[in-house]
Amino acid sequence: MFTTRIKFAVVAGTAAVALIAAGCSTDDPSSTPATTSTASMSGMDHGAATSTAPQPATRSDFNDADVTFLQMMYPHHAQAVDMAKLVPSRSQNQQLITLAKNVEQAQAPEMQQMTTLLEAFGKGAPSATMGHEGMAGMMSADQMKSLEALSGPDFDKQWMQMMIEHHQGAIAMANTELASGTNADAKAMAQAIVTGQQAEIDQMNTMLAR
């Protein structure tokens, strides 16, 4: 009976040591999971997705024109949102402040829709800084710096002139999508851009004429 108790104690002790060793092994750097990828921090600006790597396509109802439209319109919208965010701290024109808020509220959600569609097409998340400075209506870095340095009526006038040009570029891109794209969701977005931004162009032209 005494021998049996000794054997039991030895077995129990061995098991305890094994459990402790297993618990401690999690402190071994070689056994820890990989550190959080910096990709999780990318694309935070403007609500971009966390990775730009292509994903497996879940849809096939699109063509190259749809992809080009979404990839180019994303940074185009991102710049418009940046311009809109300048207004509250530089303008005293309540009508312009409201217009800028409307621009941001319309275009920021559309950017998320573009991200969702591109990922469904297997193209990965778009980038707000894709280097499309030559894109229709896109402002250069120097133009943006010049705008940021203004305030009051001078800012208001420059902002509206720039935004009109910016909107005209977006409408041109949207019309190309309507003519050449095949994806129903992308084309619906393009039509919304044409309708909404033309109305804002008309409003800004009226404001500038006063």
Side-chain angles (χ1 to χ4, degrees), residues 8-55:
F8 178 78
V10 170
V11 171
T14 302
V17 170
L19 287 171
I20 293 171
C24 292
S25 68
T26 58
D27 293 331
D28 184 348
S30 64
S31 67
T32 57
T35 55
T36 303
S37 169
T38 54
S40 65
M41 297 298 291
S42 67
M44 289 180 66
D45 291 342
H46 309 294
T50 56
S51 174
T52 57
Q55 303 296 323

Side-chain angles (χ1 to χ4, degrees), residues 54-205:
Q55 303 296 323
T58 59
R59 298 178 63 164
S60 59
D61 57 334
F62 65 93
N63 63 9
D64 289 344
D66 297 317
V67 174
T68 298
F69 166 70
L70 295 171
Q71 288 178 335
M72 295 182 70
M73 190 61 78
Y74 187 93
H76 205 275
H77 270 30
Q79 188 177 74
V81 170
D82 286 342
M83 291 174 64
K85 288 179 177 179
L86 296 176
V87 173
S89 62
R90 291 168 172 81
S91 177
Q92 291 77 49
N93 186 325
Q94 189 56 52
Q95 189 175 6
L96 183 62
I97 292 171
T98 300
L99 173 61
K101 183 178 180 180
N102 291 340
V103 168
E104 184 175 355
Q105 289 180 340
Q107 298 199 26
E110 286 177 346
M111 290 170 68
Q112 183 55 54
Q113 293 172 26
M114 293 169 199
T115 298
T116 300
L117 277 174
L118 283 168
E119 290 181 337
F121 297 166
K123 302 301 179 181
S127 170
T129 56
M130 292 180 67
H132 293 303
E133 289 82 3
M135 192 190 309
M138 203 75 164
M139 299 297 118
S140 68
D142 287 343
Q143 286 175 304
M144 290 296 290
K145 288 180 182 178
S146 175
L147 181 64
E148 290 170 6
L150 299 174
S151 63
D154 290 339
F155 170 85
D156 297 347
K157 180 179 179 180
Q158 184 71 13
W159 190 92
M160 286 188 282
Q161 290 174 338
M162 289 172 63
M163 190 60 81
I164 287 171
E165 182 179 350
H166 202 272
H167 276 13
Q168 288 171 337
I171 290 172
M173 292 163 60
N175 281 328
T176 298
E177 164 63 13
L178 290 171
S180 305
T182 60
N183 180 264
D185 293 327
K187 289 170 76 74
M189 185 184 301
Q191 185 58 63
I193 288 170
V194 171
T195 303
Q197 297 199 20
Q198 184 57 57
E200 289 174 348
I201 288 173
D202 294 342
Q203 180 182 354
M204 286 184 282
N205 279 328

